[in-house]
Amino acid sequence: MSFPSNLSSAEEVPDVSYVEDVSPGTGALPPRAWYAQSDAARLSLNGRWRFRLSATADAHDASFAAPGHDTSGWDEVTVPGHWVLQGHGTPIYTNHLYPFPVDPPHVPTENPTGDHLRAFDLPADWPADGDAVLRFDGVESCAKVWLNGEPLGEFKGSRLPHEFAVGPLLKARGNVLAVRVHQWSSGSYLEDQDQWWLPGIFRDVTLLHRPAECAADFFVHASYDHVTGSGTLRVDAEVPGRVTVPELGIDTATGAPVTVPVEPWTAETPRLYAGVLASGSERVELRIGFRTVALRDGLITVNGTPVLFRGVNRHEFHPETGRALDAATMRQDLELMKRHNINAVRTSHYPPHPAFLDLCDELGLWVIDECDLETHGFVEQGWRDNPVDDDRWTPALLDRAARMVERDKNHPSVIIWSLGNEAGTGRGLNTMAEWIRGRDPERLIHYEGDPDCRDTDMYSRMYASHAEVEEIGRGLDGGTTRRRALPFILCEYAHAMGNGPGGLADYQRLFEAHARNQGGFVWEWIDHGIRDERYGYAYGGDFGEELHDGNFVCDGLLFPDRTPSPGLAEYKKVIEPVRIEGDGAGGTVRIVNGYDFADLSHLAFTWSYQLDGETVAHGPLTVPPLAAGESAEVKLPAPPDAGRPGESQWTVRAVLAADTAWAREGHPVAWGQLPVAPGAVAPAVAGDRPVRGDGRITLGPASFDARTGELRTLGPVEVTGLRLDVWRAPTDNDNGAPWQPDPRLGPLWRELGLHRMRHRLDAVEAGDDALTVRTRVAPAGRDVGLRTVYRWTSDGERLRLTVSVTPEGRWAVPLPRLGIRFGLPASYGSVRWFGGGPGEAYPDTRAASMLGRWTAEVDRLQTPYVRPQENGARADVRWAELSGAEGALRMEGDPAFWFTARRWTSEQLDAAGHLTDLVPSSETVWVSLDHAQQGIGSQSCGPGVLPGYQLMVAPAEFSFTFTA
Ligand code: GAL
């Protein structure tokens, strides 16, 4: 076998000093614009590659890169992909801690290194002339590349493109591409984002033909003048050529501006014009969106109008393939966002797959494109040695900034560049910002980590409390002179970990009330649970990691399989771009157009009228095509005569009037309910007298244990364990984050013993008109307690329970819940109810809960949070009926209640670490009828529950009427 001169046949320890070198790499071409469509030939090198994993960076020399190397003992992996998700090694999850000793730029000797090999032939029609480049769209974290045995260079910057000129090395047949990928490198210090560490070639590898006079790099400048309604197009190109936009009659030279009347691009009206850049021998397809981004009067404006971000933070994630996403998944993400009224995405915390931004242009999203930079782990040492404040690292930072800006500069959707995330402050960041401003003065700059806003065009924060957001909105937050003149965004808020986030509607009110508050981006889009046989979805620690942050990686609005969580339904309602309001009795409904640009002509409105939750009439509602920001009182029809009394209301909906690129005609966008008449007062349930006998007390349809006063049967239905309940399996938000100043309720509740309440029986009194059971409910070891009286009455058919709770002692914490819980036979698996639905709701997550008649199986009432926790309550329930073997059991509340039913207890839910730990009981369905619930908040990272949603301990009385 012969080797090229630079390789040796003997296995020698290779020089891997580039791994720890702070430089971004050597050999790659300067970055340039990315584009999907050109007539130049291209060859995808995605697919199955030969693969060999070594424990260290220097385990093997470079001989594997030479054509003809014997790979018979090697494995295979799919590219794009991460080897740790393909059976080689395991993933590691840490939030901000580096999973290796912090000694920049050094990395551990144990440095998993994957040698990848791929042989390929050129297609028969591959052009003989011209050059070719090899492009890597993403490799984590450091790669060295050889083609046909020749080293091309090495690079870092995992989520950034790197290209190498390879023309002279290419052969018609039998090319061998070799890529050595190191999990750890100096680059790892710059990539400390809160996510799984997932090494590999995880984005496309492509060979691109470069015709003699190819388009090379080009910059599309397409601005919009909202005063004149004209757009100005100028395409600056490295290689001169012509630009044509047939629809606009444009045919001009590169570099020459043309101004014509156009329809502007906005996220609400993503108008794109097809164009062509023809330079020498390449034709590149352009998709041009005319829009102008500017800071005006202290506000972020597009086309002269301030925008309100209804955003999310999106990491790239798939439960099986990690950060290797296919086109369908990217589109699915965007369709789901658009269908849930989301209008903005921050690409936290790195530039996404380039095709994602094409989709943002097409479907309409405002994008904050964030650089692949985070050095959060240095916070542990007071930011000492932070690379962003050390000039030796500045070339690497500038390289990252340039690779992002150059790649993504032609997307109208990208309106803001973000320097990175949680990297402290330092000269390196200043230098990046300066470079970006020079290269692209037509966009704004974001960075959250510097409260003085030295480099940025907006004041940005994460997880600020409602009170602080209000203060900022009012301009009372102080700060530097520069900051005081800037608009405000929450680049992260509403931590969507587990059940929640709570308090979204309260934030939205603050965004809409104060012009300076230009909205926010929920943290985050999707749970990063990894599909796993043992656990359902795995999170930090499940792979035996030495350091990890548990399920903090599962904090999205989507479950890992992209099923929307209740949090997403809530967000959709809270940010709906049309407000539908009114008091119902007045005969009109107020419609407010909350879009920033669009009028309402793309929506159709309907009305419906419900009596006791049942729709008795419906029809179309004519709403004028209000312009953005306008509102109108629209007349409702005369209320239909339902022929019987009952609780009545209007429901008005706004739906898409025609198909769009992201949803079909009829897709719901906004709704509102206007109460008309309240329900009738329930008749008294009294008259029957408790009768003792045979160890039992009977009262109407019910029988009780004569000694304990416990309910045993209700008509034909056996009932077990009915008693006061105050416990819930703490949510991630209940458990709170250690860095939050608010008390962490989950641990406090446990310390107090709310999960082990004792029920002392004081008296069972069978009186003339009622059975009264007196108890005291309290935890061992504490002096606080709840005097609890159950008063049962009946009219012979129905059974009524009134629970009175009188607190004793000094209760310093809110309760998780307050209500009763009981067990029914397992056959009671179907529910009908009149109340809020169809989804889960808690006091501060109830905006999306729509009053109506709903049905569900008990199994479907569960919300599958990746780490099991309290879930599944339905709000405002007037009555619920559970059906089982013995017929239906009806429960009416006075007042309305929170309904929950599940096949395990709260204690079992609490004990479960993963969904696979939850085993449905074959005997019992546990039903909770709650008078009150503690709110949810978002304290798993942000602020706790607002005072108005806390379940403070106070005397309470509530009733339920049962009919079996
Ligand atoms: C932020 C950070 C995110 C994520 C979040 C908590 O501090 O920017 O990456 O860690 O907190 O989930």
Side-chain angles (χ1 to χ4, degrees):
M1 188 187 296
S2 70
F3 288 90
S5 55
N6 55 323
L7 298 177
S8 85
S9 60
E11 290 262 328
E12 287 170 1
V13 177
D15 176 11
V16 291
S17 54
Y18 60 89
V19 170
E20 294 186 331
D21 188 330
V22 297
S23 96
T26 56
L29 293 166
R32 65 184 181 112
W34 184 89
Y35 49 87
Q37 299 293 332
S38 127
D39 60 358
R42 59 173 65 202
L43 175 66
S44 168
L45 297 175
N46 295 346
R48 297 294 281 172
W49 288 49
R50 305 293 286 167
F51 177 77
R52 170 180 68 186
L53 183 64
S54 309
T56 62
D58 61 1
H60 294 283
D61 68 14
S63 55
F64 81 103
H69 185 80
D70 177 12
T71 59
S72 50
W74 290 35
D75 282 308
E76 276 192 356
V77 289
T78 295
V79 170
H82 307 278
W83 69 70
V84 289
L85 297 183
Q86 300 185 58
H88 306 277
T90 49
I92 299 172
Y93 167 57
T94 57
N95 167 11
H96 76 278
L97 291 180
Y98 289 102
F100 47 78
V102 180
D103 181 23
H106 303 293
V107 296
T109 305
E110 300 79 31
N111 187 357
T113 291
D115 289 333
H116 296 68
L117 268 189
R118 156 98 203 221
F120 64 94
D121 299 333
L122 292 179
D125 57 356
W126 191 265
D129 65 324
D131 203 343
V133 302
L134 186 60
R135 186 173 71 213
F136 295 90
D137 280 314
V139 182
E140 179 170 330
S141 82
C142 170
K144 178 159 178 158
V145 188
W146 295 260
L147 182 63
N148 295 331
E150 281 300 322
L152 302 177
E154 82 288 331
F155 64 89
K156 297 157 198 135
S158 299
R159 299 105 200 172
L160 293 162
H162 294 86
E163 288 184 328
F164 296 92
V166 294
L169 298 176
L170 281 177
K171 305 184 285 191
R173 304 190 64 76
N175 295 288
V176 175
L177 176 57
V179 187
R180 171 164 283 173
V181 182
H182 307 284
Q183 171 153 22
W184 309 121
S185 68
S186 66
S188 307
Y189 283 97
L190 306 180
E191 296 172 5
D192 191 25
Q193 292 95 343
D194 173 5
Q195 58 180 349
W196 296 99
W197 298 89
L198 297 175
I201 306 175
F202 71 97
R203 285 186 189 156
D204 308 291
V205 182
T206 319
L207 182 70
L208 299 160
H209 179 243
R210 301 286 64 218
E213 300 225 318
C214 62
D217 190 26
F218 57 90
F219 199 160
V220 177
H221 300 272
S223 60
Y224 179 73
D225 181 334
H226 65 279
V227 178
T228 61
S230 57
T232 299
L233 176 67
R234 192 189 80 234
V235 180
D236 294 335
E238 204 178 322
V239 174
R242 285 205 81 72
V243 177
T244 48
V245 186
E247 198 183 342
L248 295 172
I250 292 177
D251 183 347
T252 184
T254 52
V258 195
T259 300
V260 288
V262 296
E263 291 170 41
W265 188 97
T266 73
E268 294 167 7
T269 54
R271 179 66 160 97
L272 291 173
Y273 291 91
V276 171
L277 165 63
S279 58
S281 38
E282 185 177 18
R283 284 167 55 88
V284 176
E285 287 180 26
L286 306 177
R287 298 195 315 162
I288 303 159
F290 292 87
R291 54 111 188 89
T292 292
V293 186
L295 208 55
R296 269 174 217 255
D297 301 328
L299 296 177
I300 300 166
T301 64
V302 179
N303 306 334
T305 301
V307 293
L308 185 63
F309 296 120
R310 303 167 164 102
V312 284
N313 281 279
R314 174 182 179 270
H315 265 294
E316 297 190 305
F317 188 73
H318 186 282
E320 278 152 19
T321 59
R323 285 188 284 278
L325 259 56
D326 60 13
T329 306
M330 293 187 241
R331 181 173 274 273
Q332 190 189 359
D333 273 349
L334 284 172
E335 287 178 354
L336 280 167
M337 288 181 197
K338 293 290 287 186
R339 289 178 195 160
H340 288 88
N341 294 332
I342 288 165
N343 73 357
V345 57
R346 172 175 176 234
T347 69
S348 54
H349 299 300
Y350 40 80
H353 188 289
F356 180 79
L357 297 175
D358 265 354
L359 290 169
C360 291
D361 295 343
E362 181 189 322
L363 300 182
L365 269 299
W366 306 119
V367 177
I368 299 185
D369 194 357
E370 188 149 277
C371 197
D372 192 3
L373 173 63
E374 173 159 344
T375 62
H376 200 173
F378 286 87
V379 73
E380 292 290 316
Q381 52 200 59
W383 294 106
R384 180 173 46 76
D385 294 339
N386 185 3
V388 310
D389 201 21
D390 178 337
D391 294 342
R392 287 172 298 181
W393 292 82
T394 303
L397 304 185
L398 281 174
D399 182 73
R400 285 168 189 253
R403 286 188 190 280
M404 168 179 74
V405 171
E406 299 300 1
R407 190 194 77 166
D408 296 343
K409 60 186 180 282
N410 293 330
H411 292 283
S413 55
V414 176
I415 60 168
I416 296 171
W417 300 116
S418 177
L419 303 180
N421 186 57
E422 296 186 316
T425 53
R427 295 189 301 280
L429 288 167
N430 310 140
T431 313
M432 286 170 83
E434 209 175 296
W435 183 87
I436 293 175
R437 248 183 239 295
R439 177 64 177 142
D440 183 18
E442 291 166 345
R443 287 183 174 93
L444 305 180
I445 294 186
H446 168 269
Y447 177 63
E448 181 270 348
D450 175 15
D452 293 341
C453 303
R454 272 170 290 211
D455 300 316
T456 66
D457 296 307
M458 61 210 71
Y459 176 33
S460 172
R461 288 281 304 282
M462 42 177 80
Y463 310 107
S465 68
H466 295 83
E468 196 182 357
V469 171
E470 168 139 42
E471 191 177 69
I472 296 169
R474 292 185 189 280
L476 303 175
D477 57 305
T480 56
T481 312
R482 175 169 175 80
R483 185 176 108 186
R484 291 203 301 276
L486 295 179
F488 176 70
I489 65 163
L490 274 170
C491 71
E492 292 179 27
Y493 80 116
H495 201 245
M497 184 178 180
N499 187 334
L504 280 171
D506 309 85
Y507 275 113
Q508 194 63 24
R509 274 192 286 277
L510 295 171
F511 299 155
E512 291 176 13
H514 304 285
R516 188 188 186 196
N517 292 345
Q518 292 199 265
F521 297 75
V522 166
W523 185 268
E524 65 176 305
W525 177 237
I526 184 168
D527 285 343
H528 309 210
I530 293 179
R531 186 112 61 208
D532 182 279
E533 268 181 28
R534 295 161 300 169
Y535 300 121
Y537 291 109
Y539 49 76
D542 290 340
F543 298 102
E545 299 104 296
E546 189 177 65
L547 286 181
H548 67 83
D549 287 288
N551 68 318
F552 201 63
V553 78
C554 294
D555 53 1
L557 294 171
L558 296 181
F559 294 114
D561 66 356
R562 291 191 154 66
T563 307
S565 76
L568 185 54
E570 177 77 0
Y571 196 37
K572 173 181 180 175
K573 176 71 178 111
V574 163
I575 59 177
E576 59 190 8
V578 181
R579 293 276 176 236
I580 298 171
E581 314 161 333
D583 71 2
T588 61
V589 55
R590 187 174 164 76
I591 308 286
V592 183
N593 179 348
Y595 286 103
D596 293 326
F597 300 92
D599 67 25
L600 296 188
S601 57
H602 65 291
L603 298 177
F605 287 77
T606 62
W607 62 267
S608 60
Y609 190 82
Q610 286 87 35
L611 188 69
D612 291 331
E614 262 177 333
T615 296
V616 292
H618 59 90
L621 186 72
T622 307
V623 173
L626 301 170
E630 284 183 354
S631 61
E633 288 290 337
V634 176
K635 210 168 155 23
L636 289 163
D641 178 9
R644 59 184 165 90
E647 181 174 350
S648 55
Q649 72 194 21
W650 298 100
T651 301
V652 174
R653 291 179 165 87
V655 303
L656 286 181
D659 290 353
T660 64
W662 44 270
R664 311 289 289 180
E665 174 186 345
H667 165 81
V669 172
W671 56 272
Q673 290 188 309
L674 294 67
V676 179
V681 179
V685 180
D688 235 47
R689 188 194 169 103
V691 180
R692 277 185 189 271
D694 212 10
R696 292 272 161 137
I697 297 173
T698 49
L699 174 63
S703 77
F704 298 81
D705 184 305
R707 197 175 49 79
T708 64
E710 281 180 275
L711 178 65
R712 290 285 185 240
T713 57
L714 220 170
V717 190
E718 276 185 39
V719 180
T720 48
L722 189 151
R723 44 166 56 175
L724 188 82
D725 189 18
V726 297
W727 180 242
R728 75 181 184 197
T731 65
D732 294 316
N733 286 314
D734 290 337
N735 286 335
W739 54 85
Q740 274 297 328
D742 292 339
R744 302 173 66 188
L745 292 178
L748 284 178
W749 288 339
R750 231 181 268 281
E751 199 185 315
L752 189 59
L754 298 186
H755 59 309
R756 48 175 172 78
M757 297 294 264
R758 308 267 179 95
H759 297 247
R760 187 184 77 208
L761 179 63
D762 291 338
V764 178
E765 300 164 359
D768 284 348
D769 57 351
L771 169 67
T772 305
V773 181
R774 300 185 188 279
T775 68
R776 185 172 188 277
V777 182
R782 311 279 168 202
D783 67 349
V784 292
L786 302 167
R787 289 245 170 233
T788 304
V789 178
Y790 307 83
R791 186 167 190 276
W792 298 95
T793 56
S794 176
D795 60 2
E797 301 225 320
R798 295 174 301 159
L799 180 72
R800 183 174 170 101
L801 166 65
T802 298
V803 183
S804 315
V805 180
T806 312
E808 291 180 342
R810 213 184 135 262
W811 284 85
V813 289
L815 293 175
R817 63 170 3 116
L818 183 69
I820 56 165
R821 177 175 91 175
F822 53 92
L824 294 177
S827 68
Y828 282 77
S830 307
V831 196
R832 259 175 20 105
W833 76 98
F834 171 30
E840 167 185 304
Y842 287 83
D844 54 350
T845 62
R846 64 192 290 169
S849 180
M850 182 189 258
L851 194 58
R853 295 267 187 118
W854 309 101
T855 56
E857 297 303 303
V858 165
D859 299 324
R860 304 288 303 168
L861 293 177
Q862 316 309 311
T863 306
Y865 294 113
V866 170
R867 186 191 72 81
Q869 52 196 277
E870 167 65 25
N871 72 83
R874 300 307 192 265
D876 299 316
V877 177
R878 277 69 170 154
W879 56 257
E881 257 177 37
L882 270 158
S883 318
E886 311 288 347
L889 174 67
R890 185 178 170 96
M891 299 152 276
E892 286 164 65
D894 179 13
F897 58 98
W898 302 87
F899 177 82
T900 310
R902 46 174 80 109
R903 296 190 185 276
W904 36 76
T905 61
S906 295
E907 291 73 14
Q908 289 164 331
L909 192 57
D910 189 13
H914 293 87
L915 286 167
T916 45
D917 295 335
L918 289 172
V919 183
S921 160
S922 57
E923 279 162 20
T924 311
V925 166
W926 292 99
V927 180
S928 293
L929 310 181
D930 288 303
H931 175 59
Q933 289 267 3
Q934 162 75 1
I936 298 293
S938 64
Q939 206 190 335
S940 53
C941 187
V945 176
L946 286 171
Y949 308 117
Q950 303 212 7
L951 173 44
M952 299 319 286
V953 182
E957 187 170 288
F958 45 95
S959 303
F960 304 102
T961 299
F962 300 91
T963 319

